[in-house]
Amino acid sequence: MVSERETKKSLLDGWNSAPNLVTYARILLVVVFIVLLLMAGDHPTASMVSFDGAARIPAPAPDDHVALRWASCVVFLVAASTDKLDGWLARRTNAVTELGKLMDPIADKLLVLVALITLSAFGEVAWWITILFLVREIGITAMRFMVIDTGGKVIAAAWPGKLKTLFQSIALTMLLAPVWALGVSDANPEGLPVALVHGYYVLAMAFLLVALVLCWYSGVEYVAKTVKAVRSASASPSDAPKEA
């Protein structure tokens, strides 16, 4: 069994590597994102995501609020896209670290959960969807810390988890974008047809529900791999849990 002192040392190895610095920057972007989103305030997206066909283009919001909403959407997209950057840098420079494998998914979770909680508070995403995401993400993160605390190696995210992150990012980017403001209305008679805007938001919600299914599937898979790794380590004390 690796001692606590050695475990902490291995976790902090490469803390200032280029990939980890990118991860830290992504976490800072989360702060910028939430500030912009809160300044933009709630938008009537909920009226556009119903599946009953009773969609309507809401009354126009102040231009500065719409601009702030677009800005928050862009920051979210940049923060979500840089997930590939730190991973690519880690592989390219052979700088894959235990800290990076821990912090990278935490940065993803922080960005996504902050967006979900805020949108639910605004009434744009149902709370039950956000709560299911929260329970899974907090549970898996707690398990990652447990693995580290017991001297094991952090198990990297498998493809279902990565696919879940992709669908989450697409869905939330679509929901954050105030596309409803581009719809036809008295103030914008040349805007997009109501049916098209409605279809856009229904598609965004469908992507989010796909992400929710993948979220729980990948979570169950991660727990199974972790339990198997811990049992293997217990049977062979000299072997640490292998990376997935």
Side-chain angles (χ1 to χ4, degrees):
M1 178 67 67
V2 181
S3 69
E4 182 180 352
R5 190 173 184 179
E6 290 173 329
T7 300
K8 289 182 178 179
K9 181 179 178 181
S10 63
L11 179 63
L12 294 177
D13 281 348
W15 69 270
N16 60 345
S17 65
N20 287 341
L21 292 178
V22 171
T23 301
Y24 306 150
R26 291 172 58 215
I27 293 175
L28 288 176
L29 281 176
V30 174
V31 177
V32 176
F33 162 70
I34 189 60
V35 169
L36 289 171
L37 186 56
L38 290 174
M39 288 175 64
D42 61 312
H43 282 216
T45 304
S47 65
M48 297 304 304
V49 297
S50 63
F51 289 85
D52 60 7
R56 62 182 180 80
I57 298 297
D63 290 342
D64 56 339
H65 288 197
V66 174
L68 286 168
R69 185 66 177 243
W70 279 115
S72 68
C73 177
V74 171
V75 172
F76 177 89
L77 182 59
V78 170
S81 299
T82 51
D83 169 46
K84 300 300 180 183
L85 178 59
D86 49 11
W88 177 81
L89 280 174
R91 293 187 296 271
R92 182 68 179 269
T93 61
N94 195 27
V96 177
T97 64
E98 292 298 302
L99 181 62
K101 286 190 291 183
L102 177 67
M103 293 300 296
D104 181 39
I106 286 179
D108 292 333
K109 289 173 173 56
L110 188 62
L111 177 67
V112 168
L113 293 181
V114 163
L116 282 169
I117 290 171
T118 306
L119 290 177
S120 289
F122 286 168
E124 300 180 41
V125 172
W127 272 111
W128 67 266
I129 294 177
T130 296
I131 290 172
L132 285 176
F133 274 117
L134 274 169
V135 170
R136 185 273 190 191
E137 302 295 14
I138 292 174
I140 294 300
T141 300
M143 180 166 285
R144 285 177 182 269
F145 279 113
M146 181 191 71
V147 170
I148 291 172
D149 189 57
T150 56
K153 289 186 177 181
V154 178
I155 299 176
W159 71 265
K162 295 179 184 296
L163 195 58
K164 175 264 299 182
T165 300
L166 176 63
F167 273 95
Q168 275 181 335
S169 299
I170 293 174
L172 289 174
T173 299
M174 292 177 70
L175 290 172
L176 287 166
V179 172
W180 60 267
L182 304 178
V184 63
S185 65
D186 293 339
N188 183 23
E190 302 299 324
L192 298 174
V194 174
L196 183 59
V197 178
H198 176 232
Y200 170 88
Y201 283 109
V202 169
L203 181 61
M205 189 57 63
F207 281 155
L208 189 61
L209 293 176
V210 170
L212 183 59
V213 172
L214 288 169
C215 178
W216 278 90
Y217 174 81
S218 61
V220 171
E221 182 183 53
Y222 182 87
V223 170
K225 286 184 177 180
T226 300
V227 171
K228 182 178 179 180
V230 170
R231 287 178 176 174
S232 298
S234 299
S236 304
S238 59
D239 295 330
K242 303 299 182 182
E243 299 172 23

